Amino acid sequence: MLTRPIYRGWTAKSLRRQLSSQAGSGLKINSDRLLETLHHTCQWGAAHRYGDAPTETGMNRLCLTDDDARVRRWLLDEAEKLGCSPRGGRYDGILGVIAALEVLRTMKDQGYQTQFDVGLVNWTNEEGARFPKSMCSSGVWAGEIPLEKAWNLSDIFNPSVTLRSELKRHGFLGDTPCSPAGYPLGAHFELHIEQGPILEDANKKIGLVTGAQGYRWLSINVTGRDAHTGTTPLRARRDPLLAASKMIAASNAIAKQHGALASTGVLKLPPTASTKTVASEVTFTLDIRHPRDSVVHAVQDECLSVFAEIAREDGKGVTFDWTLDTDSPAVQFDANCLAAVKDAATQLVDADGWLEITSGAGHDTVYTSRHCPTAMIFVPCKEGVSHHPEEYCKPEDCALGTQTLLEAVVNYDRMRSKLK
Amino acid sequence: MLTRPIYRGWTAKSLRRQLSSQAGSGLKINSDRLLETLHHTCQWGAAHRYGDAPTETGMNRLCLTDDDARVRRWLLDEAEKLGCSPRGGRYDGILGVIAALEVLRTMKDQGYQTQFDVGLVNWTNEEGARFPKSMCSSGVWAGEIPLEKAWNLSDIFNPSVTLRSELKRHGFLGDTPCSPAGYPLGAHFELHIEQGPILEDANKKIGLVTGAQGYRWLSINVTGRDAHTGTTPLRARRDPLLAASKMIAASNAIAKQHGALASTGVLKLPPTASTKTVASEVTFTLDIRHPRDSVVHAVQDECLSVFAEIAREDGKGVTFDWTLDTDSPAVQFDANCLAAVKDAATQLVDADGWLEITSGAGHDTVYTSRHCPTAMIFVPCKEGVSHHPEEYCKPEDCALGTQTLLEAVVNYDRMRSKLK
C-alpha cells in the first residue's frame, strides 16, 4: 500500500477512492523504493546543484559516458535480480526507466504472473544530446534511422568518438538485431513527465497521452545586403534581420490564430556582424506544431505567404528561401492501450483527476507506435520545466504515475488474449 | 589640366564651366596619377577578387600588419620626395590619404606656395577592424581616448599583440605627442567616399558635409525562460526572441516616424540555442542616428517605452534591461571651412552639382572638429556600398573630389589670415 505521507496534496476523495478500490491488479508499487532508486541512480552524473538537499541537483549524464555506462550496468544487475533475462534523466527519461523497474520489482515481490512477458527497454541516446539524433535507438528499431547512420553519429564534443565506438568500449555492442523482427514488442507503454504546464495548471494528476502532435522544422534563410547603419537610408536598405524579426513576430501571430505552436529557437547572423553594419544574411529556424497535420501545413503555408509580403516591405526588399529539416507527422496511439491507461487512471484518481493530452515533444513511443500498440502516461512537472537542473516531479506524482503504468500493463496483459 | 577621358560621365555644361573657369587656384590635380597611385598602393593587401581587371579586388590590410607597414613607409617616402618633413584604405580611407598626397604633389609640381603649412595626416587604426576602437588615433589626438587605452588595444585575432607592440615592431612609435599641443592643426579637411547612396541617387558629384549625425548605441538584454517548443503553450512562455523580434520591428517603425535611423546589427542567443528550445535570453544592439541630438533622444525614449509594452505582450512576459555603449553627439563643422569647400564645389560642378549632406558614419574629422576648424568632402560611391570588396568610386569622381579638396585647402589658406 502507498504510505500516507506520500499522498499529501491529494484530495481526500481521490485518496479514499484509491484505498477502497476493489478493481485493479491488487498490486501496489512501493513508492519509497521508487524514489530512493531514482535518486540512487542519480549519483552517477549529478550536477548543477540548485539547493541544499541531497537530491537538489540536476543531471549531466551524456549517453554512453562512463557514468552512463555505470548506471546501465546497475540497471542490468537489478533486472537480473528480478529473474529477468535483460535484453535491454532525474525525471525526464530517468523516471520512465526507474518506474518500469519498480513495476517489475512489484510483480516479482508479490508473485504476480502476467499472461505475456513483460520487459523493460532502456533506449539508448533518446535525447540526442551527446550523439545528435533524438530518439535514436527507437528510430533504428522502427527502421526510420539506418543502423549505420546511428552508429556513425559523432560525439558533439569529440568527432573521433562515435556511438558505435562507445557501445563497443562499454561492451554494449550486442548481437540482437535492433528491429521489430529481432526484438519484437507486443505493446509499448512509457511513463514520462509532461515537460509542459498543462496538467499542473489544470490541477490534474495523470495525462492520458492520446498521441503526439505533428511538427515540421523549417530553416529560413533571408538574404539582403550588408550596409553601413549610419550612411544607408532606410529606403535604400535590404535588411534581413529586420525582415526576419517581422517574420518571427508574424509566425507567432499566425500560430495563435490557429491554436498551434510556432517557435524560433535559433537565429544566426554572419560572424562579421557588428553594431554599425546591416547584416547581409540571417538564418532562423521555425518549429510549427499541432495535433492535426492539416493545421501544421496551414500554418506553414500562411507563414510562407506572409514572409513573401514582409520580404518586399522595407527598403529595397530582401529575398528568402527555406528548407524543410524535419517532418514528423502527428501520431495517434493505440485505442486498446489507451483504454488500459484510462481504466487505470480513472480507478486511481477519479475521472476528474486525469486529462487527455497530446504529447508536444517527441518520445521513443512515437517510433514504436509504428510497429506495435502503444500509449504514454504523463505526470505533472513543476512549472512545465524540463531540460534544466531544476526540473522537478513531486514524489507522489512519480509514485502515482508508476502505479498507473503498472495498472495499465496489467490491464493490457489481461485484455491482450481477447484482441485479434 | 584634367584629361578629357576622365571626365566622361559629366555633363557637357559642367565640363565647359570647369574648363573655362577663371577663378580658383589655377592648379589642376593629375587625375591619372591620382588613380594610378591609389591602385599602386593597393598592391599591398589586395584581396577578394570580384572581377578580371587588375583593380577589381577589394582590400584586406589590417592596421599595422606587414602590408600596412609597407604602404605607410611608401607614403613617408613619397611625402619626403615632395620636400615634406612628414610628421604624419582602395577608396574608403585610402582615397582620402592618396588625394591629400595628390594635393601636395600638385602644389609641388606647379610651384604653388601656400601662406600656411599644408600637411598630410595618415591617421592610424581609423577603422578599428584589427584593434577594436574606431577613429583611434584622432580620438587620442583629441584627448577623447587615453593614449594608454589605445596602446593596450589587442589584435582581435591574437590578444598577445597590441597596437603599441605593433607600432614598436614597425618602428612607428615616434616621440611627437599625439595631441593638439604636440601636433597642432590649423584646420582639418578630409575627402571620403559617402558610403551611402544619397549623392548617387540625387545625381550629385560632391557632398558638402556640414557635420556628422549624432548616434547612440544601446545593448538590449531580454530575459525570459528556456522552455520546450513542443510542450510549452504560447500562453505559458517567456520568449525573449519573440519579444526582441517585435522590439526590432518597432524600433524601425519609430525611427521612420522621426525620419531617423534605427538599426540592429548584432543579435545573440545563448550557445545552447536549439530549434526545439525557447531561448532563455537574447541580446541585441540598437544603433539610433539623426543629425539632431534631440531626435536621437526622442527615438530612444520612444523605443524604450514601446519595448516595455512589448515585454508584457506575450505569454507570461519577459524582462529587459539596457546599457548605453556609445554616445556620440551630433557635430557641426566649421562655417569658414564649409565656405571654402562650397566655393570650390560651386566652381567645379555648378550649384546644381553638389549637395549639403550630413555624415552618417564617424570619421577622424569628427574628433579633430573639437580642436580645430574642419570640414569634409564626400564623393559618390556605387550603390552606397562600402566595407565590401566591391566598394567602388568612379575615377572621375575620385579626381573631382581631389580637385575639390585642393581648391578648398587653397581657399581656406587664402582666407585664414583674415580670420580672427
Side-chain angles (χ1 to χ4, degrees), chain B residues 24-25 27 29 96 99-104 107 112-120 186-191 336-345 348 373 375 377 401-417 419:
Chain B
S25 64
L27 300 170
I29 64 140
L101 180 66
E102 177 60 28
V103 167
L104 296 181
M107 288 174 170
Y112 186 86
Q113 290 294 327
T114 52
Q115 298 182 39
F116 297 87
D117 287 347
V118 178
L120 182 171
H188 187 259
F189 288 88
E190 184 175 357
L191 172 67
N336 293 312
C337 289
L338 287 172
V341 176
K342 187 174 173 178
D343 286 353
L348 289 167
I377 300 158
T402 305
Q403 186 70 37
T404 307
L405 178 66
L406 169 63
E407 299 293 342
V409 170
V410 168
N411 286 344
Y412 191 80
D413 180 64
R414 287 175 180 169
M415 76 170 74
R416 188 171 162 193
S417 55
L419 303 174

Side-chain angles (χ1 to χ4, degrees), chain B residues 31-325:
Chain B
S31 62
D32 286 345
R33 177 175 62 188
L34 170 73
L35 270 296
E36 191 191 339
T37 304
L38 187 145
H39 293 304
H40 175 75
T41 65
C42 288
Q43 72 183 279
W44 297 293
H48 305 292
R49 177 161 294 284
Y50 62 89
D52 295 332
T55 61
E56 286 181 339
T57 76
M59 292 297 292
N60 181 356
R61 193 168 70 206
L62 287 173
C63 179
L64 296 178
T65 54
D66 290 351
D67 271 341
D68 189 52
R70 282 182 195 108
V71 74
R72 283 170 182 271
R73 286 212 186 79
W74 168 89
L75 182 64
L76 295 181
D77 289 346
E78 292 302 306
E80 278 172 355
K81 284 183 198 164
L82 303 177
C84 291
S85 310
R87 295 171 291 176
R90 216 153 270 238
Y91 303 96
D92 172 10
I94 297 173
L95 172 62
V97 176
I98 301 302
L101 180 66
E102 177 60 28
V103 167
L104 296 181
R105 283 174 169 174
T106 301
M107 288 174 170
K108 172 79 174 175
D109 275 5
Q110 297 173 38
Y112 186 86
Q113 290 294 327
T114 52
Q115 298 182 39
F116 297 87
D117 287 347
V118 178
L120 182 171
V121 188
N122 184 14
W123 296 106
T124 301
N125 197 40
E126 188 276 339
E127 198 60 50
R130 184 181 180 197
F131 301 101
K133 191 80 194 168
S134 301
M135 305 173 288
C136 177
S137 296
S138 54
V140 171
W141 181 85
E144 304 283 339
I145 301 172
L147 179 63
E148 286 294 332
K149 188 174 173 182
W151 271 354
N152 290 331
L153 287 168
S154 292
D155 182 320
I156 55 165
F157 300 114
N158 182 357
S160 70
V161 169
T162 64
L163 184 73
R164 188 177 194 283
S165 73
E166 285 294 81
L167 284 170
K168 192 169 179 191
R169 183 169 76 89
H170 294 303
F172 291 162
L173 202 59
D175 51 13
T176 306
C178 185
S179 67
Y183 191 95
L185 297 177
H188 187 259
F189 288 88
E190 184 175 357
L191 172 67
H192 209 280
I193 59 170
E194 180 200 332
Q195 299 182 279
I198 296 172
L199 293 174
E200 187 180 60
D201 286 359
N203 200 27
K204 304 290 183 183
K205 305 306 281 180
I206 296 289
L208 168 53
V209 188
T210 57
Q213 61 187 349
Y215 60 92
R216 288 167 75 85
W217 289 355
L218 279 61
S219 286
I220 318 286
N221 183 259
V222 189
T223 305
R225 178 148 205 180
D226 42 0
H228 193 295
T229 57
T231 59
T232 318
L234 300 182
R235 62 176 162 70
R237 296 187 183 186
R238 306 181 191 273
D239 185 340
L241 182 51
L242 175 60
S245 297
K246 290 181 166 193
M247 290 171 183
I248 291 166
S251 66
N252 175 265
I254 292 166
K256 258 183 210 156
Q257 286 160 13
H258 288 270
L261 300 174
S263 318
T264 294
V266 176
L267 185 149
K268 284 186 182 162
L269 291 161
T272 52
S274 87
T275 303
K276 61 176 177 179
T277 307
V278 173
S280 57
E281 188 176 15
V282 171
T283 302
F284 66 93
T285 58
L286 182 61
D287 170 341
I288 304 171
R289 306 199 188 211
H290 192 273
R292 289 204 308 279
D293 291 328
S294 61
V295 178
V296 173
H297 284 269
V299 170
Q300 175 184 309
D301 293 347
E302 207 170 312
C303 282
L304 293 173
S305 154
V306 170
F307 289 0
E309 288 169 29
I310 289 171
R312 290 187 294 267
E313 240 169 54
D314 288 283
K316 297 193 166 183
V318 296
T319 56
F320 76 99
D321 50 42
W322 59 279
T323 53
L324 178 66
D325 300 328

Side-chain angles (χ1 to χ4, degrees), chain A residues 127 134 194-198 201 213 217 225-226 228-237 241-242 245-246 248-249 252 255-256 260-267 269 273-277 279 285 287 289 314 360-361 383 385-388, chain B residues 127 134 194-198 201 213 217 225-226 228-237 241-242 245-246 248-249 252 255-256 260-267 269 273-277 279 285 287 289 314 360-361 383 385-388:
Chain A
E127 197 61 51
S134 301
E194 181 200 332
Q195 300 182 278
I198 295 171
D201 286 359
Q213 61 186 350
W217 289 355
R225 179 148 205 180
D226 43 1
H228 193 295
T229 57
T231 59
T232 318
L234 300 181
R235 61 177 162 71
R237 296 187 183 187
L241 182 51
L242 174 61
S245 296
K246 291 181 167 193
I248 291 166
N252 175 265
K256 257 184 211 156
L261 299 174
S263 319
T264 294
V266 177
L267 184 149
L269 290 160
S274 86
T275 303
K276 62 177 178 179
T277 307
T285 58
D287 170 341
R289 306 200 188 210
D314 288 284
E383 292 174 25
V385 172
S386 72
H387 294 181
H388 192 281
Chain B
E127 198 60 50
S134 301
E194 180 200 332
Q195 299 182 279
I198 296 172
D201 286 359
Q213 61 187 349
W217 289 355
R225 178 148 205 180
D226 42 0
H228 193 295
T229 57
T231 59
T232 318
L234 300 182
R235 62 176 162 70
R237 296 187 183 186
L241 182 51
L242 175 60
S245 297
K246 290 181 166 193
I248 291 166
N252 175 265
K256 258 183 210 156
L261 300 174
S263 318
T264 294
V266 176
L267 185 149
L269 291 161
S274 87
T275 303
K276 61 176 177 179
T277 307
T285 58
D287 170 341
R289 306 199 188 211
D314 288 283
E383 293 174 24
V385 172
S386 71
H387 294 181
H388 192 282

Side-chain angles (χ1 to χ4, degrees), chain A residues 255-293:
Chain A
K256 257 184 211 156
Q257 285 160 16
H258 288 270
L261 299 174
S263 319
T264 294
V266 177
L267 184 149
K268 284 185 183 162
L269 290 160
T272 52
S274 86
T275 303
K276 62 177 178 179
T277 307
V278 174
S280 58
E281 188 176 15
V282 171
T283 302
F284 66 94
T285 58
L286 183 62
D287 170 341
I288 304 171
R289 306 200 188 210
H290 192 273
R292 291 203 308 279
D293 290 329

Side-chain angles (χ1 to χ4, degrees), chain A residues 27 29 35 50 59 62 79 91 117 157 195 199 201 222 226 228 230 272 289 296 342 345 380 384 386 392 405 415:
Chain A
L27 299 170
I29 65 140
L35 270 296
Y50 63 89
M59 291 297 293
L62 288 173
Y91 303 95
D117 287 347
F157 300 114
Q195 300 182 278
L199 294 174
D201 286 359
V222 189
D226 43 1
H228 193 295
T272 52
R289 306 200 188 210
V296 173
K342 187 174 173 178
S386 72
Y392 183 71
L405 178 66
M415 77 170 73

